[in-house]
Amino acid sequence: MQVVKRAAADYRWVRPPEWCPGCGHFGILQSLYNAFAELNLDPANVVLVSGIGCSSRLPHYVRTTSVHAIHGRAIPYALGIKLANPSLEVVVVGGDGDLMAIGGNHLLHLGRRNVDMTIILMDNSVYGLTRGQAGPTLPAGIKVKAVPKANPQGEINPLLLALTAGFTFIARGYSYDIKYTTKLIAEAITHKGSAFVQIYSPCVTYNNVMTREWYEKKIYKLEEADPAWDPVVHDEKEVDLKIRKALDKIVERDRLPLGVFYKNELVPTFDERYESLYDPNYRKLPPALQPVEADGKPVVDFEKLVADRLL
Amino acid sequence: MQVVKRAAADYRWVRPPEWCPGCGHFGILQSLYNAFAELNLDPANVVLVSGIGCSSRLPHYVRTTSVHAIHGRAIPYALGIKLANPSLEVVVVGGDGDLMAIGGNHLLHLGRRNVDMTIILMDNSVYGLTRGQAGPTLPAGIKVKAVPKANPQGEINPLLLALTAGFTFIARGYSYDIKYTTKLIAEAITHKGSAFVQIYSPCVTYNNVMTREWYEKKIYKLEEADPAWDPVVHDEKEVDLKIRKALDKIVERDRLPLGVFYKNELVPTFDERYESLYDPNYRKLPPALQPVEADGKPVVDFEKLVADRLL
Amino acid sequence: MRISFLIGGPQGRGVETASFMFIYGVGSAGYYVYARREFWSNIAGGRHSYVVGTISDRWPAPAPGNSVELALTFDGHAVLEHVFHLMRGGYLVYNTEEDSKTPDSYPMMAKPLAERLKHFAKGQGFEPTVRNFVEYLRQSGVEVVGLPYNKHISEIGRKIGVASPVMLARFVNTFVVALGAALLGLDEEYVARGVGFALGKKADVIEQNKKVAAEAIKLVGKKMTTIQPRSPGVKRIFWNGNEASAYGKVVGGVRLVAYYPITPATDDAMVFERLIPFPVGKDAGELAKLERIGAMAFQAEDELAAVAITTGGAIAGARSATVTSGPGFSLMSEALSMAGMMEVGIVVTLWMRAGPSTGQATRQSQQDLFFSLFIGHGEYPKIVYASGDLEEVFLDNIRVANWAERYRVPVIHLVDKNLSNTFAVMPLPDPSNLKVQTTPPVVYPQTKEAEAYPLEEVVPPKLLPGVSNAIFHLNSLEHDPEGDPEEDPVVVTKMFEKRMQKLKLIESEIPPEEKVLYFGPADARRVIVGWGSTKPAILTALEELKDVGFLYVKMLYPYPVDLVRRYLEGREALFLENNYFGQLAMITRMFAGVVPTAVAVKFNGRPITTDDVVEAYRKFEAGQKTIKLESDL
Amino acid sequence: MRISFLIGGPQGRGVETASFMFIYGVGSAGYYVYARREFWSNIAGGRHSYVVGTISDRWPAPAPGNSVELALTFDGHAVLEHVFHLMRGGYLVYNTEEDSKTPDSYPMMAKPLAERLKHFAKGQGFEPTVRNFVEYLRQSGVEVVGLPYNKHISEIGRKIGVASPVMLARFVNTFVVALGAALLGLDEEYVARGVGFALGKKADVIEQNKKVAAEAIKLVGKKMTTIQPRSPGVKRIFWNGNEASAYGKVVGGVRLVAYYPITPATDDAMVFERLIPFPVGKDAGELAKLERIGAMAFQAEDELAAVAITTGGAIAGARSATVTSGPGFSLMSEALSMAGMMEVGIVVTLWMRAGPSTGQATRQSQQDLFFSLFIGHGEYPKIVYASGDLEEVFLDNIRVANWAERYRVPVIHLVDKNLSNTFAVMPLPDPSNLKVQTTPPVVYPQTKEAEAYPLEEVVPPKLLPGVSNAIFHLNSLEHDPEGDPEEDPVVVTKMFEKRMQKLKLIESEIPPEEKVLYFGPADARRVIVGWGSTKPAILTALEELKDVGFLYVKMLYPYPVDLVRRYLEGREALFLENNYFGQLAMITRMFAGVVPTAVAVKFNGRPITTDDVVEAYRKFEAGQKTIKLESDL
Ligand SMILES: Cc1ncc(C[n+]2csc(CCOP(=O)(O)OP(=O)(O)O)c2C)c(N)n1
Ligand SMILES: Cc1ncc(C[n+]2csc(CCOP(=O)(O)OP(=O)(O)O)c2C)c(N)n1
Ligand code: SF4
Ligand code: SF4
Ligand SMILES: [Mg+2]
Ligand SMILES: [Mg+2]
């Protein structure tokens, strides 16, 4: 087979994005194109999965296979796809409302499985598509443009949640910094295990508080602030230390660090666990790729299957 | 009014518990009776709320008002009760399956509101009532009695989740240590804000790994190991430090600390926030206690209500 | 008097604001307006949005049909969208600066529409430019007011001393609205009132826009009509369906609304939230000493939580409601079954939109009738009730809140996208004929274990935690009178029947006129049967269709079998519905055994218009049994 | 030949194991057994559980009625539970050591039952002791075998050299089962086979228990009958409904099962999981070289995830199913609507139990028919199909897996608690008449943007990520052929109709004999109409009720209107259902316009028995229109 080298433009779908001009989500889309090109992913082997939200429309602007599912459930749909065919490159994108409010439980339970897929949180701290209500990452007391009152609910830190969930790659980017975001997304995709990337992505229409200016005053890069920063677990024994170091940065609130907080490829992935516990051929012959009949006859030997039940 | 002093037995319901003999849940039940008695709670002013599970049957064994709701939703039912009438003492009990698997999202979103109520997790790392499947706190690779294969999914640390969620009181007990568990529950109930108590509660029928012996080899008490242990945030400035200290203990895995990990009463409760942002009379005249009509006439002045819309 | 209009332009860029200006402006001249908004399910990004409506000197104002007399367009895209929506003799206002554009100039125009337009132009032998379509309209008898908008606005800016492009851009709304006002013979004062309503009461803003309006009006040489400012003699309100619903909740005593945002339901909750704390009336009994009272509006993490919080609120004793649309309603299935089992009365205001699944989030349908009737596993009593216009939306909110408390069942209140986005200037409804009916809680003098589910009472006593001095157990499991789990077959049967007896109780207590209404001649041989928001269109069509009856069904469950049978006995019935299956027709067959003569359906995401009703009826008269409606305005 | 039996004792303490021993033991003597388990919805704690069934030399073995000929009881509680479940001439085996106990001695006995027993004893003029009830039974013509169990077991222990109380306690099951074997004239060999099956094949355990059995058998002086060991001449299987379902999935090619535990569905998934990896057959084409192949069994965090994972699996190309019961099914509403919209074929095996809400988690009902038909917001195509016995459960699993792939719709496979807990020794079904039908995926030679929803094809092409070399978009929003969001009214209408045409396709392709079956005389004037697990009881009753037909409906949606009309035309129809509303009767009226003559329902959480069918039919014959069944075995 001929090796194709694809460019970012090769991942652009025919239809143009329908976001408000200036929306942070454009930056993430561009970064995704770039990362896909950098990794030269086969667009027919990538499955982009999303829920519902402005952010969740992203797959329609990308030239890869995609599933635009229902609100909050992108992760389990993606998971089903990946479980059935682990050779696919599965990437989930979604908003803070989608992935952390209604979809919070699936995020929480994905990490602990360490399935080899990537979650990209397009975080604007509001519900864009339903016209500007508070998202779960909006701090208490802030009143955004379109709602009548200030937020009486506190915020959740997505990275702390990812760590709690057991994600083995945890990073944070900023949508207007396309180069950096590209790098983080590419790293997340190549990571072996469940990867989580939060990307600050201002909603220019409804979030009049957490704006470009607001973010740019607070963000900094981990590796710039501390050139010795090394989030990678190189040895089992380092796990506790690296988790504690990551936590230390994750709970930072006044300034907002960007970069990779934690990365551990020593945890077995779900595939690996499944092969050792259930089915040694799992990756060779996964559910989606098995023939189940030959000339209409089941491939399974029924009598052998029920042997211990026969009288 | 006459002051009644109630004893633990005053909270015992007429029907006996229907758990398997030796089940850890008995210890929690007794601790709850004790704590209620210690605090002398009015049983007609307490609402015990649960979902579905062996653990969730607990309210039927207690002489207080209770709501035995559906699987995974105890928290939002309890929340609705508390929001409508904040003067009630609302306590949620439930299993690891109920509160952390199907109900994980509600736990995640309760903490950030800091509503003044208590969650008691009766943690046996299995699904008792459905006959022994893996619960979300069962470590990967463990095979419990009634299931065909070892667990391919990792565990979630309930305390780390509680901290992520924003609970302002976080503690862990052990069901066979009734005295200690009583103390923790009483503290949780008196805490001003959202309180979370995890209680190890072995399932003698299905969890043949995490047994009494297993736990008793690992548990220790924070304040015994470190007499200077002080989980309380006494000053706003201490928050970050105390969170980091709590995290340090929460992520401990080889041994299992019991005790109070974190306590912060400086965070405004939801009532307080709601009063300042929405309704200054909220606690004086909450939704459940307002008359809504007088002689069949609405108490609200309709024309004043729509004044800005009249032509 | 009746003038139909539309205002169209790029979504999210002021066309909604312009519509408010126009409607309020016309309203402030003493008229009634009935209008509806159509928009795409994304925020901005260049899609086309419009408002279509009717101005009238009487109420109810007629519902719009498939074409209008006056079209105010913001850009060429809007002209192209509405080429087939203009009446002969109608007026088109448009921007000549877009004359040379074609469907392909508007990347956000729906591709199939662009293709249809090009195909049409080709058939007519012209290039598909805006100019040519306008010319085609002119030849079809449409009066055209074409002006170079930006050029004029710049000139006006110069006159009134505004040069910044940002500022000038803000005048477009006022400019277009003023062109409309000019055609109606209304002066700048009314445009200014619209501006005041839509942009806020700042005097300088109003003054400046008034000047813009005055200048714009001068640019129009024609007049469609002259509508004289008048005094309608009644108090009027400008609101939409979401707002009517929220006001109904407040008046009806709802004090807890938990919700998760979803189109087109969110605004019901957000208006409720905005209104907190509410003004107290003079006759408010013990509350009268307070100026304002509060309530709980709560944004939940999802709909599973929203309905549970709502149920919790009701358990504690607050009148509680949640608002949602199809996807969220689906998520409430399990909890509704529980409310039925646990005997907790809650209200779910269900704003139907076009499904299945995410479907068309901002489009109309009545697809969720079946699902509302049978939602949730297992069998339990409930009420399903539908509103058909804004007055009903308001008043029915009071009714359903009463019923939820009275019967302790989940009450599903069916409304839809069409109602949510209906904007009307209409007489202020009078809620005083409708009582807010509550049940006092049981209060024991001494703490007491109480039966939550006594077998002798169809509706359990109102026991409230912290109020009743009672200790009681509520349960989602099948239970004994104490509320504790029970599987004894005898008790189980009794408990099941006790719950189901509520259906009979509901049937017997709710008066017939709140269940079905009949319009038209008592002896009509043919009857149109409908429910929900098709009501105004059907009533409007009835003015044209003589000798036809209209059986309007509000109570969907428990189904008013006897009433429906009585009205349909011996008549031919055309069922008219905004869904695919003809769901009302089917349940009528199931519950009442009445076989529909014909069924007309529309499932393209657009509401049934007055013209649709007439078309369906003509086909029905001609003997057609299944009729598909496809108009697109 | 037919012997009915029950085995009752304290739940969670061996009575289930004893039942397996007994059933397998009798089965190993060459007989068929059809039995059902009843238990409470908590794990242990002292509730009463039992198995009731029939032994027969033919298959289908008759379904049990409301009383049995042989009752093996473990304790006095069990005697009291079954006082009214013994036939005249039947045999009761009980422990005389409990003679002096009364209902109040058993704190876990359902209070209402205890009250009824005490009331009955009072009416009869005796103290409510176990002894007196046994005496009452004796006087009613029941043969009693009363033995002091523990005394005998200790003695036997002494004989065979076992003294430890723990060990002795383990012999109770064998002891009681052996007493039953004695009455049936079976020797210890068959008890030992039962022990081998229930406790494992360890030779020493079997040997020891065989000795216990031999001793126990000697204690019984009476004999009901002597059933001769026989050779039935066909391969037989011992399984229950959950297992039959799991085997059906494996054979039918299901390779991904995602689930969240729930009674009575869990075992379907857990058996599937246990069987991984599966043995490959010799005719397996390219797979034949492998010995075993794998599959994915996945325990999700909740049912929202379970159904989504299942759908994801199907999108990737695996035959995928989820298993659940009412509460979990409710949570799947939104995702089912999406599967309909996105055109993904999945199977939901719905194990119905008694609702509403948590209801009675371990009890029987057919309450979820309505909900299955109309689950999820919006209108979309689906299939709802029901199985009525274990063979059907197995074979229908293959059918529904085929259909999900063929039509790309959600398929809801209705089974119930009654089936899940039916244990049978029966002929091994032969799946070879049923094809496993798959569609090959489209594979492009070169990467290509492909239409996921071409308008010309009712069922979309099978595009698989990573396989088809295709780039395509799937969407829960209304979409154009490319799968991108579209709200153009013309395209929307076409897409909607295209999806709905599947219903017609399904109707035309699935053969009539897979939709309805008719039993009994072709010219019967009266017909019983039923669905699902009432089938065996109705068929058994038909042997007694001459001249009656039985119309058995398997396809519930799309409803087989023509077939049902044809069979019911001109006949009187009694609908018989395990729910409150008579749901099949109602949908038959809705879809087919057929008015049921009478409806018999049972909603106390217990299945409809053969005696119930006879009772209902007698009342129907006598002209009763609505019949409530209340038997409790
Ligand atoms: C079950 C369900 N509930 C609610 C909605 C309505 N809804 C659509 S998008 C959205 C939130 C979007 O917010 P987010 O995920 O943060 O994305 P953003 O638009 O901010 O990018 C909501 C609540 C829905 N589609 N489905
Ligand atoms: C929606 C729904 N799904 C599944 C169930 C079945 N179910 C009942 S209890 C339970 C889990 C119980 O586990 P846990 O909460 O840990 O309590 P435990 O029995 O271990 O105390 C499940 C899955 C249900 N009742 N409802
Ligand atoms: S509403 Fe906000 S998130 Fe949505 S497209 Fe516009 S700017 Fe982006
Ligand atoms: S099954 Fe486990 S959790 Fe349930 S009652 Fe028995 S021991 Fe307790
Ligand atoms: Mg967002
Ligand atoms: Mg548990």
Side-chain angles (χ1 to χ4, degrees), chain B residues 18-26 53-55 122 124 126-132 176 201-207, chain D residues 42-45:
Chain B
E18 296 186 41
W19 292 312
C20 309
C23 174
H25 298 346
F26 283 101
C54 292
S55 32
M122 301 164 73
N124 56 18
V126 291
Y127 289 15
L129 194 54
T130 51
R131 301 176 175 259
Y176 296 114
S201 179
C203 169
V204 296
T205 302
Y206 295 114
N207 197 330
Chain D
N42 49 311
I43 298 305

Side-chain angles (χ1 to χ4, degrees), chain D residues 564-585:
Chain D
V564 169
R565 276 199 194 133
R566 190 185 326 144
Y567 281 111
L568 294 187
E569 188 123 83
R571 314 197 197 192
E572 295 204 333
L574 166 66
F575 282 73
L576 193 59
E577 301 183 57
N578 235 167
N579 56 43
Y580 178 90
F581 284 125
Q583 299 185 15
L584 182 70

Side-chain angles (χ1 to χ4, degrees), chain C residues 561 565 587-595, chain D residues 589 595:
Chain C
V561 170
R565 277 200 193 132
I587 67 163
T588 302
R589 194 150 110 157
M590 169 160 62
F591 291 120
V594 172
V595 180
Chain D
R589 193 149 111 159
V595 180

